[in-house]
Amino acid sequence: MKKPQLVLDAAGVIVTNLSPSFWQEEVAAAANIPYEDVKALFKKEMRLRLWNGEVSLDDFWSWLFNHFPVLDQVHMKTCMDRHLVALPALELIPQWSALADIHILSNHRAEWLTPLLEPVANNLKSVTISSEAGCCKPESRIYHLVRNHFEDTTAKIIYVDDQEKNLVEPKRMGWHTIIADEDGRWISEVGKLLNE
């Protein structure tokens, strides 16, 4: 029997999203600026360049503190750990790895995500992080980079992401896609598919 390939997004699936918690609770609140304004500025000037590795983390922090000089620099850098924590599904990866090859595909920074994956690193076949790959979802190229890690491309491929826009290309490629809902119902769906 062919072993399924289970591809998991990170933020919103196995670890928390930075948005809105970090941007709302730390940046917008401290700078006394509406969260939507902060979010729009980040999206316009920094988001893509941060996630695809075009800028360094030092560049990101400089950008943040230049735009919001009221922020406490030491606090901002240390509080990141509070906003990037494991979700329940991370603990299921060792169990799932007995039934499927597990791959991580995330728009993220390797510097932030890799330490969170350390407890399950031995259960992962591959980790593709946008800051190292030089491209981001939903660009088709990043999904093909992950596919290059599959030992058997004819096996069932299950892909989980918390954003619909990131499911379009995998569906086109013939992958079985699952949207990760906030209540975690997607976890049962993965379990059923892996035990079929």
Side-chain angles (χ1 to χ4, degrees), residues 78-196:
T78 58
C79 79
M80 189 62 71
D81 291 342
R82 271 190 303 138
H83 296 278
L84 290 173
V85 296
L87 291 173
L90 185 72
E91 296 176 9
L92 295 172
I93 287 178
Q95 175 186 330
W96 286 342
S97 71
L99 303 169
D101 291 339
I102 311 290
H103 307 268
I104 303 300
L105 170 58
S106 185
N107 286 351
H108 222 295
R109 291 299 302 201
E111 303 94 329
W112 292 337
L113 185 57
T114 302
L116 293 169
L117 298 177
E118 190 58 38
V120 297
N122 291 337
N123 303 106
L124 303 174
K125 282 287 184 181
S126 73
V127 177
T128 303
I129 303 173
S130 61
S131 69
E132 295 177 326
C135 53
C136 296
K137 298 177 290 181
E139 294 176 55
S140 63
R141 184 164 54 118
I142 200 163
Y143 301 100
H144 291 275
L145 290 174
V146 175
R147 189 175 62 182
N148 291 339
H149 293 288
F150 299 165
E151 291 180 10
D152 184 351
T153 57
T154 64
K156 180 193 301 183
I157 302 164
I158 304 163
Y159 177 59
V160 182
D161 201 295
D162 68 327
Q163 296 187 46
E164 290 281 355
K165 68 181 180 180
N166 294 335
L167 301 178
V168 175
E169 181 64 13
K171 282 180 186 174
R172 192 194 65 70
M173 294 168 69
W175 299 6
H176 181 100
T177 60
I178 299 172
I179 189 75
D181 59 289
E182 289 183 4
D183 298 328
R185 291 186 301 273
W186 67 270
I187 293 173
S188 297
E189 189 175 349
V190 168
K192 287 176 189 173
L193 287 168
L194 294 183
N195 285 290
E196 283 180 351

Side-chain angles (χ1 to χ4, degrees), residues 24-39:
Q24 194 165 24
E25 296 169 21
E26 305 295 344
V27 180
N32 197 26
I33 295 171
Y35 163 63
E36 291 302 325
D37 293 351
V38 172
K39 182 179 169 184

Side-chain angles (χ1 to χ4, degrees), residues 39 41-52 136 163 165:
K39 182 179 169 184
L41 184 64
F42 173 67
K43 181 178 181 179
K44 178 182 176 186
E45 295 186 5
M46 180 56 61
R47 185 178 70 180
L48 181 60
R49 298 185 318 136
L50 178 67
W51 294 147
N52 71 15
C136 296
Q163 296 187 46
K165 68 181 180 180

